[in-house]
Amino acid sequence: MGLFERYLSLWVALAIGAGVLLGQLWPEAFAALANWQVAQINLVIAVLIWVMIFPMMVQVEFRSVRQVSRQPKGLWLTLVINWLIKPFTMAAIAWLFFRGLFADLVPAADAEQYIAGMILLGVAPCTAMVFVWSQLTRGNPAYTLVQVSVNDLIMVVAFAPIAALLLGVSEITVPWETLALSTLLYVVLPLAVGILVRQLLLRRGQAALARFCDSLKPASMTGLLATVTILFGIQAPTLLASPMVIGLIAIPLLIQTYGIFVIAYGGAKLLKLPHNVAAPAAMIGTSNFFELAVAVAIALFGLHSGAALATVVGVLVEVPVMLSLVALANRTRHWFPQADDNPHTDAAPQSA
């Protein structure tokens, strides 16, 4: 592990500080950046996420993808966490804090809006950034791809009814453009290009593929830091204008995030999953598809609503929190069997 990766948390903290400072110095520039979007997906962030996830896509080997269906425990764990546990624990924690513990601190109408935004985050499992977290924990690329793809398919039919049930509304209009565009940008296109590049490199041997993947690491980490800087730069005015409200929303989100990780990671340990499946499975269950949550919050409650604000706080909380969980997963690698040492465990073979 190089100097950059070893002190990644420090670089991210500096990127957060730089984002807030730059957002205050040049708010117009970041406002313009925020408007470069299609179907609620920011195009600049999309390019940076591409830079981050492409190294993992190059490592996907389809022989491994085909074997995932014969070893489904990690996939089932992800699905149970995402669709039977996480939305309901998020709703319960939101209600506990904003209808109970924080009831005297915020107006009741605002509290209901914050609860709604948190629920939308809980019903939207992550798509793009999971590939980044998986890569940082040396996750199995093929298994991660299948987990994300299956969750995307389920999201098409499950997101609206679960969100409607927990929000107490009769109908949720799913922003299909956001869902389809994110799948295209973050799964289909990088995977197709990754397969092509992989095949071209393998003609020159495995060493050429390994050298290419190693050469992408600095770009991937730079993309992560640039993403953090832009996200915090865009939201700097909101952060500094309403610090108490941001903090109140962040507290239950932090408890939910760490709690879900403990459940998922603990479940993976009980199932004796190898670490390269266990870590991504826990990350997928923990992180959120914030573009979808923000889009639905705006459509239902308005651009300047408390629900939209809560989803934005979810964006800001996610990156530093998920990096702390990446660090935890890497430090606890020895808790799990390793795929190479236990070939009969629930894991597809490692990609070359």
Side-chain angles (χ1 to χ4, degrees):
M1 183 180 292
L3 180 67
F4 193 87
E5 289 94 341
R6 187 177 296 117
Y7 297 104
L8 182 58
S9 297
L10 172 61
W11 310 136
V12 169
L14 292 174
I16 290 172
V20 174
L21 177 61
L22 294 173
Q24 281 296 101
L25 292 176
W26 294 291
E28 298 84 2
F30 281 93
L33 268 179
N35 289 327
W36 293 355
Q37 60 181 22
V38 175
Q40 299 298 324
I41 293 178
N42 187 277
L43 299 180
V44 177
I45 298 296
V47 170
L48 293 172
I49 290 177
W50 239 79
V51 171
M52 287 185 280
I53 68 178
F54 184 68
M56 172 161 276
M57 293 304 190
V58 176
Q59 298 176 56
V60 172
E61 183 181 14
F62 269 89
R63 283 180 298 175
S64 298
V65 171
R66 290 194 296 269
Q67 294 186 33
V68 169
S69 62
R70 299 202 298 269
Q71 302 160 325
K73 286 191 293 183
L75 181 59
W76 281 114
L77 174 66
T78 300
L79 297 179
V80 168
I81 295 294
N82 276 347
W83 301 107
L84 298 181
I85 297 177
K86 181 180 176 182
F88 305 97
T89 57
M90 179 70 92
I93 289 172
W95 291 333
L96 171 65
F97 277 87
F98 282 103
R99 289 183 179 174
L101 300 177
F102 294 162
D104 296 332
L105 299 177
V106 295
D110 291 345
E112 292 303 311
Q113 290 276 303
Y114 302 150
I115 290 170
M118 292 173 62
I119 287 173
L120 289 173
L121 284 169
V123 189
C126 191
T127 297
M129 292 298 287
V130 166
F131 294 112
V132 180
W133 314 138
S134 180
Q135 181 182 343
L136 291 174
T137 56
R138 287 183 278 167
N140 185 304
Y143 215 106
T144 303
L145 174 65
V146 172
Q147 287 173 310
V148 170
S149 300
V150 171
N151 272 284
D152 283 354
L153 291 174
I154 292 176
M155 192 166 5
V156 170
V157 296
F159 176 85
I162 294 176
L165 171 67
L166 293 175
L167 290 174
V169 300
S170 59
E171 184 177 351
I172 297 285
T173 301
V174 177
W176 296 110
E177 287 185 359
T178 301
L179 192 55
L181 184 59
S182 70
T183 303
L184 179 66
L185 286 177
Y186 301 143
V187 180
V188 177
L189 286 179
L191 178 61
V193 177
I195 291 171
L196 176 61
V197 170
R198 177 185 176 83
Q199 294 306 313
L200 292 174
L201 289 169
L202 285 176
R203 292 178 184 177
R204 296 156 52 191
Q206 292 285 352
L209 176 62
R211 285 195 302 271
F212 179 78
C213 291
D214 287 342
S215 70
L216 291 178
K217 286 182 181 179
S220 181
M221 293 300 99
T222 301
L224 175 60
L225 296 181
T227 300
V228 172
T229 302
I230 291 173
L231 287 176
F232 277 82
I234 289 173
Q235 300 302 332
T238 302
L239 277 169
L240 298 176
S242 309
M244 191 190 83
V245 171
I246 300 296
L248 291 178
I249 297 171
I251 290 171
L253 286 177
L254 288 170
I255 293 172
Q256 161 76 4
T257 303
Y258 285 113
I260 286 294
F261 181 83
V262 168
I263 294 170
Y265 207 50
K269 183 167 174 55
L270 289 174
L271 292 171
K272 296 181 170 60
L273 299 180
H275 189 267
N276 70 341
V277 171
M283 300 295 169
I284 293 171
T286 304
S287 53
N288 302 304
F289 184 178
F290 51 79
E291 294 98 337
L292 180 62
V294 171
V296 176
I298 292 172
L300 286 176
F301 303 103
L303 178 62
H304 301 291
S305 64
L309 176 63
T311 59
V312 167
V313 176
V315 176
L316 299 178
V317 166
E318 174 156 326
V319 174
V321 169
M322 292 304 297
L323 282 170
S324 73
L325 294 176
V326 165
L328 176 62
N330 285 332
R331 285 196 299 268
T332 56
R333 189 179 302 275
H334 61 281
W335 291 1
F336 296 83
Q338 303 305 307
D340 292 340
D341 299 331
N342 194 351
H344 301 296
T345 56
D346 180 38
Q350 279 278 31
S351 299

